[in-house]
């Protein structure tokens, strides 16, 4: 089955980066790309309102021109790659989520046209993410040379196969190292029984911490071993980090090409995802692209 990648494109600087990333992802997968541009069909709500008769067709034509420019850029950059366009009326987030329903990957920029500049994720990208039903990549961070490194934010208490396999597959496609990281706050100094000198001793705390790290690492290795067997060429590093998960993982993105995190599917009968606190932090502050993979 031919793989398909959907990319939202609006000719903004962020959209240009998403388009370039979609091209790279398609080249790695031997996939087809669909460049999607949405436009709003504005209705006249007042009898006194005036709307030129050709307004809607003009707006659609502009959107078609934008999508067509994106298609041409990809074809010039990747001759022979199957590239098509789709121009969809309606709210942009809904259009992108619908267009990507059966896709292998949806690629979005950090912020579209008209958005305020800065670090935070744009509202359209965030809403699209909450409606999407396929893995979604938000292209963030400063453009730089490849770091040959992908980070997997691994939740050992609820490690989802979909998230782990996506990370391994990405590392295999890119020939990159995969860093599976689990973060624990190991600052236990204030949690010991103050009346017990044994428990309060630095040596005992260090021993307990070391044992905890060993146990966590063994659990991670057990969870990851089947995927390492499936992807034997992937260079896997299993890491246990100390600190606040959101802060530690955000720091790791400074030297990564991609960070992969999971998000639970909505359980109310609707398509889409519910990104948790760690995913939210990464989506707003990561210094590399963030892939959010639906799970559960």
């Amino acid at each position: 089955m031919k793989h398909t990648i959907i990319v939202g494109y609006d000719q903004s600087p962020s959209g240009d980066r998403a388009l370039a990333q979609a091209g790279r992802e398609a080249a790695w997968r031997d996939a087809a790309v669909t460049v999607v541009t949405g436009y709003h069909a504005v209705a006249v709500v007042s009898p006194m309102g005036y709307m030129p008769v050709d307004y809607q067709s003009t707006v659609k034509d502009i959107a078609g021109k934008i999508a067509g420019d994106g298609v041409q850029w990809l074809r010039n950059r990747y001759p022979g790659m199957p590239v098509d366009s789709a121009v969809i009326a309606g709210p942009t987030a809904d259009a992108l989520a619908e267009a990507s329903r059966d896709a292998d990957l949806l690629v979005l920029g950090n912020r579209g046209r008209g958005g305020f500049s800065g670090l935070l994720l744009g509202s359209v990208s965030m809403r699209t993410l909450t409606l999407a039903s396929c893995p979604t990549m938000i292209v963030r961070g400063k453009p730089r040379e490849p770091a040959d490194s992908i980070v997997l934010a691994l939740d050992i208490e609820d490690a989802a196969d979909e998230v782990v396999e996506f990370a391994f597959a990405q590392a295999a496609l890119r020939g990159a190292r995969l860093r599976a990281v689990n973060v624990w706050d190991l600052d236990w100094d204030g949690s010991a029984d103050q009346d017990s000198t044994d428990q309060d001793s630095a040596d005992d705390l260090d021993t307990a911490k070391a044992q905890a790290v060993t146990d966590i690492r063994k659990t991670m290795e057990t969870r990851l071993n089947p995927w390492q067997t499936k992807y034997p060429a992937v260079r896997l590093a299993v890491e246990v980090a100390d600190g606040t998960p959101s802060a530690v993982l955000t720091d790791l993105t400074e030297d990564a090409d991609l960070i992969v995190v999971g998000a639970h599917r909505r359980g109310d009968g609707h398509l889409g995802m519910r990104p948790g606190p760690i995913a939210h932090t990464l989506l707003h502050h990561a210094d590399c692209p963030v892939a959010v993979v639906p799970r559960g």
Side-chain angles (χ1 to χ4, degrees):
M1 182 180 296
K2 189 69 175 179
H3 297 292
T4 303
I5 291 175
I6 304 295
V7 56
Y9 186 59
D10 59 2
Q11 283 187 329
S12 67
S14 180
D16 288 340
R17 290 195 61 200
L19 186 71
Q21 185 66 39
R24 289 190 288 269
E25 296 290 337
W28 286 323
R29 291 170 169 80
D30 188 25
V33 180
T34 300
V35 180
V36 176
T37 301
Y39 70 97
H40 280 285
V42 181
V44 177
V45 297
S46 167
M48 300 299 294
Y50 170 73
M51 185 71 66
V53 294
D54 60 349
Y55 175 81
Q56 302 291 6
S57 61
T58 299
V59 172
K60 183 177 180 180
D61 289 345
I62 293 172
K65 174 66 165 55
I66 291 172
D69 288 346
V71 168
Q72 193 59 51
W73 188 90
L74 286 173
R75 287 177 176 168
N76 290 341
R77 186 70 176 270
Y78 300 98
M81 178 179 289
V83 185
D84 201 354
S85 66
V87 177
I88 304 176
T92 302
D94 299 71
L96 287 167
E98 178 62 28
S100 64
R101 180 172 295 185
D102 299 317
D104 295 279
L105 181 68
L106 169 62
V107 182
L108 303 172
N110 177 46
R111 183 169 297 281
R113 296 176 66 87
F116 296 102
S117 62
L119 294 176
L120 298 183
L121 183 66
S123 58
V124 170
S125 296
M126 178 57 82
R127 174 165 171 77
T128 303
L129 182 68
T130 63
L131 296 172
S133 54
C134 71
T136 302
M137 185 180 295
I138 306 293
V139 181
R140 293 191 49 83
K142 301 182 293 289
R144 57 175 180 249
E145 291 299 313
D148 189 35
S149 178
I150 292 174
V151 175
L152 165 62
L154 183 66
D155 181 357
I156 61 171
E157 296 179 347
D158 190 16
D161 288 346
E162 305 97 310
V163 183
V164 176
E165 182 168 25
F166 183 90
F168 269 91
Q170 281 286 317
L173 287 169
R174 300 165 181 239
R177 178 173 58 119
L178 177 60
R179 301 175 64 186
V181 182
N182 185 263
V183 187
W184 286 72
D185 186 352
L186 297 173
D187 183 11
W188 299 345
D189 293 354
S191 64
D193 183 354
Q194 298 299 317
D195 295 330
S196 171
T197 56
D198 288 340
Q199 289 182 339
D200 287 342
S201 70
D203 289 344
D204 286 348
L205 282 173
D206 288 343
T207 299
K209 290 178 182 179
Q211 185 60 52
V213 169
T214 298
D215 292 343
I216 294 167
R217 185 183 300 277
K218 286 181 178 179
T219 301
M220 294 174 68
E221 290 171 348
T222 299
R223 299 282 177 86
L224 296 172
N225 279 343
W227 300 106
Q228 180 71 91
T229 300
K230 184 174 181 179
Y231 294 91
V234 171
R235 295 165 288 147
L236 176 65
V238 178
E239 303 175 22
V240 180
D242 180 8
T244 304
S246 295
V248 171
L249 291 168
T250 299
D251 288 344
L252 291 177
T253 64
E254 296 178 3
D255 299 307
D257 300 317
L258 176 71
I259 187 165
V260 180
V261 65
H264 285 284
R265 298 181 191 274
R266 292 175 59 179
D268 53 5
H270 296 85
L271 297 175
M273 294 181 271
R274 295 183 290 105
I278 293 175
H280 266 282
T281 299
L282 292 170
L283 288 165
H284 287 293
H285 298 290
D287 196 27
C288 73
V290 180
V292 184
V293 181
R295 48 170 301 179

